[in-house]
Amino acid sequence: MTCSAQRARSGQAIILLMAVMVIGLLVVMWNVDLHRIVSTKVRVGNAGDASAQSAARWQGITMNMVGELNLVQAALLLEDPDDYGSAYEIAELRSRLTLLGPLMGFFDAQSVAFLNLSANDRQHIGSGYANTLRDRANQFIRGGGFYYGIPEPYRGAWLEYGVLLKELADVGVVVQCGNTRRYYFYNGYHILLDPGFYDALGYPPDWCWFERTGNTELLNDYQDASSWPNLPDLQRRSSVNSEYFGVGLRQVYTALGSIEDGEDNEGDDDSGEDRTEELWNLLEEDAVDVKGVSSLLLEFNQEYMMSNRYPWHFYDTGGDWSGDFYKWVTSDSGDFPFRDGETVLPEFNYSGADASTTVSIPATSYTPGIHMQANRIVWHASAKPFGYLETEEERVVPHYFDLVLPAFHQARLIPNGISSRTNYEDDEGWEEHIYEHLPEYIENGTLQGDCSYCRDLMLWNNSAFRRAGRDWLRKYGDSCDESVGGSGQPGGYRDPR
Ligand SMILES: [Zn+2]
């Protein structure tokens, strides 16, 4: 009797011991898992920051090279003001740099990101974004000189552009461009262009979104796809710049003697002031460091060149380089480009070229079997090339003279909120959805089956779903907190301009 009781007790002990071991094992596994997720987050973050910085660095390099070529052209024209042939050849070189330089940054962004990731990360990147880029590349390659009526900035540009993009897609893409500027873009607001709307339809639906954004009427009035207002007009953007990490330049055909802040800089205090002389002094003082060019400028007939029209590359001060876009508030990044605790130094207070990137890795590859709500580890980063020109009295912004000059010294990370980031979507299907699926949907009510946004819309088209929303809001609508939810404002979709 005692013997069997003893055996029973030792049996219980074994069961207990096994239970403890299993629990212990689970704890260890969970910790390893947690550790892997945390360290992946760090790697993805580093990859994102590094990619934004190298894209921005290439923006600076591109603009410096364009600036040097402006000066080389000036020097040549001073020697022979009738040498239009050389001027046009140099202008084409600048156009080539303006279009393709940022793509070099796109390549560079990929390689620095790859270096920051582990072999396992790289295996799980997926090919979605690469396919998007490849599709885009093929449109330009096949489109020849015209792509959807967008003229080439120089002859053969679309083929070069397409081939480079395709190569990029083929070598592997981990970094997405976060401030892509399509040559065609929607110029205006539409609820179907608001990512917040699709988020609200997710599981569980965020019915309060409709309350917060004043769209409850939509839940009542909507019948079918024909209820939607038309999409805003597509507008064409200048094709001088790359769609990816574009630097916001324009090519003009003008006499340098007429450089002044004219209608392009509305609202600028110095409006109408003639800066030609100031530019000239700057070049004479060798303040712009281009070997020998400035001293050459001294020796020749300025008058002639100043009054003749030639092609030049200018900053697009009517758009990207308008000064009041940025709301630099304070700095947590030392004294550059900010003075500690104060507002930004005037010479750095400009918008213009910046680079936003997104790096994301599926988290599921680190937590097999565990379903996570946010199933990707995502990092958004933005950076910007900074620089200034030094005139006699002070440092001024790089676009002070409108003419592109070599002025950029470094690239720094900037907060995403003040960057020109346009797509906050982690899902690479967003652009395809708004540019390809939506026009078809509004026109005929048909939706693509393999697109997550289209699936959201199928759900929305179900009247029972919308009724559930109305019922929910009737019951709990008062509990919707106005202050909750960031992207829910009307206009949460930022105009990509
Ligand atoms: Zn879609």
Side-chain angles (χ1 to χ4, degrees), residues 53-75:
Q53 271 178 303
S54 55
R57 205 166 51 84
W58 269 96
Q59 289 180 320
I61 292 171
T62 300
M63 289 185 286
N64 282 346
M65 290 195 290
V66 168
E68 297 204 11
L69 285 173
N70 268 336
L71 289 174
V72 168
Q73 180 181 315

Side-chain angles (χ1 to χ4, degrees), residues 168-180:
L168 181 67
D170 289 344
V171 296
V173 186
V174 62
V175 177
Q176 294 182 33
C177 176
N179 54 346
T180 304

Side-chain angles (χ1 to χ4, degrees), residues 74-96:
L76 272 174
L77 289 173
L78 284 167
E79 217 162 336
D80 179 6
D82 291 323
D83 193 357
Y84 283 88
S86 299
Y88 278 98
E89 264 170 43
I90 295 170
E92 188 180 311
L93 266 180
R94 287 195 304 263
S95 295
R96 204 172 234 127

Side-chain angles (χ1 to χ4, degrees), residues 48 114 268 335:
F114 269 117
D268 195 315
D335 59 356

Side-chain angles (χ1 to χ4, degrees), residues 429 432-433 437-438 448 451-454:
E432 195 177 338
H433 176 70
H437 302 168
L438 278 188
Q448 304 285 320
C451 163
S452 67
Y453 301 101
C454 285

